[in-house]
Amino acid sequence: MIGAVLAGGRGRRFGGNKLLFRIDGKPLVLYAVEALEATKEIDGIVLVASPENAERLKKFGYEVIVDELMVGPIGGIYTALSLDDAFVVAGDMPLIVPEFVDYIIREFRKSGKAVCVPRWSNGYIEPLHAAYSEGFRKILEEQIKSGDYMIRKAIERVDTCYLPIEELPERWRESFFNVNRKEDLRKLTHASF
């Protein structure tokens, strides 16, 4: 199981390359990477980069693979699954809880299903904090070829392991927090960096 950090966003809402924006002297993307490093179930980490981000991300010392499709998160997940089963997160998620990641991976393995994704009681899912099987790549390929880039639709096409978020420890929910705008950084003042 690899940990795949999607690092392809252009940061339009943020107003620049947010993944390299420094928080307490460290680029935002490294918070996600270091959280995955702290897990027990992940064997290696890869950064899935846009063509324009790839060179800049190589300096962090992790394998970087380029998402040539550039069709959003579905393309990044598709690219990551070319390597192995993957636990996928976004590079703008600085509060990932390693214990929660390990829990999802264990549930994924137990279930034997193509995808294991946290789901809220209103039906909303967290596809950028989920485990995917290498075999799911075929479903993604079909969907991308059809021109539909909604990851949720691909997940709904397969037998999926859904984890009810409200039944899990509340403190794990901070794992889903992501930085879209500079104002979101204010929320991190309460975080333990």
Side-chain angles (χ1 to χ4, degrees), residues 23-24 36 47 55 61 79 103 112 114 130 184:
I23 300 166
D24 290 344
L36 295 183
L47 299 173
E55 282 309 309
T79 302
Y103 172 79
D184 294 334

Side-chain angles (χ1 to χ4, degrees), residues 5-25:
V5 180
L6 302 189
R10 293 187 181 90
R12 282 186 292 269
R13 286 178 287 179
F14 189 80
N17 193 333
K18 64 181 171 182
L19 298 178
L20 300 178
F21 188 85
R22 293 185 172 273
I23 300 166
D24 290 344

Side-chain angles (χ1 to χ4, degrees), residues 3-193:
V5 180
L6 302 189
R10 293 187 181 90
R12 282 186 292 269
R13 286 178 287 179
F14 189 80
N17 193 333
K18 64 181 171 182
L19 298 178
L20 300 178
F21 188 85
R22 293 185 172 273
I23 300 166
D24 290 344
K26 185 168 37 176
L28 176 62
V29 69
L30 286 187
Y31 286 95
V33 169
E34 288 173 5
L36 295 183
E37 286 276 18
T39 65
K40 294 180 175 76
E41 303 291 336
I42 288 176
D43 305 310
I45 293 171
V46 62
L47 299 173
V48 183
S50 60
E52 67 262 21
N53 260 356
E55 282 309 309
R56 285 180 274 195
L57 293 170
K58 284 180 181 167
K59 68 182 176 193
F60 299 127
Y62 293 90
E63 181 179 356
V64 175
I65 56 173
V66 177
D67 170 9
E68 301 286 356
L69 298 173
M70 294 304 294
V71 292
I74 194 170
I77 296 168
Y78 174 81
T79 302
L81 293 177
S82 67
L83 301 175
D84 202 346
D85 291 350
F87 187 87
V88 176
V89 297
D92 63 359
M93 298 171 75
L95 302 178
I96 294 166
V97 178
E99 175 189 8
F100 188 17
V101 173
D102 284 335
Y103 172 79
I104 294 170
I105 294 170
R106 285 193 302 271
E107 291 299 307
F108 167 75
R109 288 183 174 135
K110 271 196 285 188
S111 75
K113 297 185 178 180
V115 179
C116 193
V117 62
R119 179 169 62 180
W120 296 91
S121 58
N122 65 3
Y124 184 83
I125 61 171
E126 298 286 352
L128 299 185
H129 195 286
Y132 297 90
S133 68
E134 195 174 4
F136 183 60
R137 190 170 195 260
K138 185 81 181 129
I139 300 293
L140 294 179
E141 185 176 337
E142 290 167 11
Q143 189 152 327
I144 290 166
K145 280 183 179 166
S146 78
D148 185 346
Y149 306 134
M150 291 192 61
I151 186 64
R152 181 189 180 98
K153 285 188 184 171
I155 290 169
E156 288 171 349
R157 288 177 57 196
V158 297
D159 191 14
T160 298
C161 157
Y162 290 106
L163 301 172
I165 293 166
E166 286 84 357
E167 294 174 21
L168 301 172
E170 194 168 336
R171 63 188 163 74
W172 286 0
R173 294 179 195 174
E174 73 178 16
S175 225
F176 304 131
F177 173 74
N178 72 309
V179 174
N180 286 317
R181 296 175 175 82
K182 287 200 170 91
E183 303 87 79
D184 294 334
L185 296 173
R186 288 190 202 117
K187 295 174 189 164
L188 298 179
T189 56
H190 306 296
S192 54
F193 282 126

